[in-house]
Amino acid sequence: MPSPATAARTVPEPPGSLGAAVRHPFATLRWLWPAYMTPGRPGRHTSQQELRWIYTAWLGAFLLKMLGSSWDVSWHFKWLRDDLAPPHLLNSAGTAVVIGLVLFHSYSGYGVDRRALRLMQAGIATFLIAIPIDIVNHRINGLDITSWSPSHALLYLGTAIMLAGAIRGWWLYAAPGRVRDLVSLGLWLFFVENVVFPNQHQEYGVLSLRDYLAGHTTAEQQLLDFAASQGQTPTMFMLPVPSWVHPAWIICAGLLSLVVARKVVGLRFTATTVVAVYLAYRAVMWLALAGMGFPESVLPFVMLVGAVCVDLAITYGLPGWSAAPVTALAVYGAGWLQDAADMLPPWNWTWWSIALVVASFTVLWSGVDVVARSSWFAGWRAPSEPDAGDVQLPAAVGGASLR
């Protein structure tokens, strides 16, 4: 028997259309509150239309965050840091929507099971804890010295955890079909973008340093003076990490997330689609930011080669121990060509650096294979509230495809 908290509700008449809801926001809120803001447990019955509305809001929130963060990187290669800079405000708007969604899921129980909700809550908590730490870090150290700082790492981690919760909630309860696949690809796009985001420091830095050395820097003089007062040379500020980091992070973090996405979504060209859309987005942002006078970046086209290798390997059932070395070496080969075209941040081309990255990626991909075959993962793919009386699962649910 369903509990009183999750009993069937009488829903007031909705606005009628999305356009009507947007045109009359206060009337929409008056409908939404009594219709959906009632207490309930995770696993509460949620119709497919309701799921689409909820997770469309998740996509919109992370689109705002991605737009803000992409602008933010370019902004900090031009001007001194400002807490209220437009890209920060855009990112904060997305974060506010995410907070609202997590509160909604927590209170109502719609569209999530307990594990998905805990991931969302843990992710937003990590993110919110990181914000004051990041502000204090910049008060002490000044400008955004590097995307690789510990406080920034907490922001990326929190975003990844909350996205994992959204991916799980959608995949568990959405009915199989094109809509589930498209929304899943969208959520994984944001996940992969968040994972490889730190590499943008080098991707912007290599061109900014080139402009500086050529005598026509895009950075304002106050930014250069402040960096110098902090003991930072232009090279230290624009390329702050060793040359092995960029390829290692693309392969061992970026491609690994694509391996997981391909196994979860199960579509034949999952990884390729995600990376192609990501690179197209980066190209559009490149044009927009350059048009507004902001610094430009190189694009990591090498990821597309790795994504194609991931899709082909999993499609043909190749294990990680054999597919990973070939994939990593293919990315290094593509990197050599992109480097020859002078369109890549500095990479470490020593044999020992390449061998360590290849070996690490092989171990990581093999580990994903082991987890995917485990009984623990088979249990994790099922909702954590299977006996709730008003939980409605779509046909053929059971979580991720392991193809």
Side-chain angles (χ1 to χ4, degrees):
M1 291 294 292
S3 68
T6 58
R9 66 195 186 282
T10 301
V11 181
E13 193 67 26
S17 68
L18 178 60
V22 173
R23 287 193 301 271
H24 305 285
F26 293 107
T28 301
L29 286 175
R30 285 196 298 271
W31 161 69
L32 281 172
W33 191 268
Y36 292 103
M37 289 307 292
T38 55
R41 296 179 301 167
R44 187 175 186 178
H45 168 68
T46 311
S47 72
Q48 292 302 305
Q49 183 179 19
E50 291 164 346
L51 277 172
R52 287 193 292 271
W53 276 77
I54 293 168
Y55 283 94
T56 297
W58 274 99
L59 291 175
F62 278 102
L63 178 61
L64 288 174
K65 287 177 64 63
M66 185 169 72
L67 289 169
S69 60
S70 298
W71 188 7
D72 191 51
V73 181
S74 184
W75 180 281
H76 291 306
F77 277 93
K78 186 176 180 68
W79 286 317
L80 277 171
R81 185 180 188 277
D82 181 357
D83 290 335
L84 299 179
H88 287 173
L89 296 177
L90 188 59
N91 191 293
S92 297
T95 300
V97 177
V98 170
I99 293 172
L101 286 167
V102 174
L103 290 174
F104 167 76
H105 287 296
S106 300
Y107 182 72
S108 70
Y110 290 123
V112 290
D113 74 336
R114 187 170 56 251
R115 292 192 181 107
L117 180 59
R118 294 294 178 264
L119 286 169
M120 293 175 178
Q121 292 169 335
I124 198 64
T126 302
F127 191 92
L128 293 177
I129 290 171
I131 290 175
I133 295 175
D134 190 52
I135 292 174
V136 170
N137 174 54
H138 295 307
R139 289 290 181 269
I140 296 173
N141 295 313
L143 71 167
D144 279 317
I145 294 174
T146 173
S147 296
W148 296 95
S149 68
S151 58
H152 288 163
L154 277 177
L155 294 172
Y156 311 144
L157 178 62
T159 301
I161 295 171
M162 67 178 86
L163 267 168
I167 288 169
R168 175 182 173 83
W170 172 256
W171 195 253
L172 282 177
Y173 295 114
R178 180 174 297 179
V179 173
R180 181 168 79 160
D181 293 338
L182 288 175
V183 174
S184 295
L185 289 172
L187 292 171
W188 275 108
L189 167 66
F190 294 130
F191 189 95
V192 172
E193 187 275 339
N194 176 67
V195 168
V196 298
F197 178 83
N199 267 355
Q200 288 192 54
H201 194 123
Q202 294 97 295
E203 291 160 9
Y204 276 93
V206 64
L207 294 186
S208 293
L209 182 60
R210 190 180 304 167
D211 288 341
Y212 175 84
L213 295 176
H216 48 81
T217 180
T218 55
E220 296 294 321
Q221 188 59 45
Q222 61 176 340
L223 175 60
L224 297 173
D225 292 343
F226 191 88
S229 72
Q230 297 287 307
Q232 296 275 309
T233 66
T235 301
M236 290 168 60
F237 169 63
M238 297 173 188
L239 297 173
V241 293
S243 57
W244 60 265
V245 172
H246 192 270
W249 196 254
I250 279 182
I251 294 171
C252 294
L255 294 191
L256 186 70
S257 64
L258 291 173
V259 170
V260 178
R262 174 62 176 79
K263 288 179 175 290
V264 168
V265 178
L267 297 177
R268 188 178 297 271
F269 293 108
T270 296
T272 304
T273 301
V274 167
V275 173
V277 174
Y278 169 70
L279 290 174
Y281 162 77
R282 287 283 303 273
V284 170
M285 286 299 294
W286 189 98
L287 292 172
L289 292 170
M292 292 190 294
F294 285 95
E296 302 162 357
S297 71
V298 297
L299 304 184
F301 294 111
V302 296
M303 283 188 67
L304 191 59
V305 174
V308 172
C309 291
V310 167
D311 279 330
L312 290 175
I314 297 177
T315 296
Y316 290 101
L318 298 179
W321 62 263
S322 64
V326 175
T327 300
L329 290 174
V331 171
Y332 270 104
W336 183 83
L337 293 175
Q338 192 170 341
D339 187 44
D342 207 19
M343 297 171 57
L344 197 70
W347 278 24
N348 189 323
W349 295 103
T350 58
W351 68 267
W352 60 266
S353 176
I354 296 173
L356 282 174
V357 172
V358 171
S360 298
F361 185 51
T362 302
V363 171
L364 291 169
W365 190 336
S366 299
V368 170
D369 287 346
V370 171
V371 172
R373 293 192 300 266
S374 68
S375 58
W376 171 84
F377 185 66
W380 193 86
R381 291 164 59 207
S384 56
E385 290 80 24
D387 298 323
D390 60 346
V391 173
Q392 176 178 307
L393 296 179
V397 78
S401 165
L402 295 184
R403 291 176 291 165

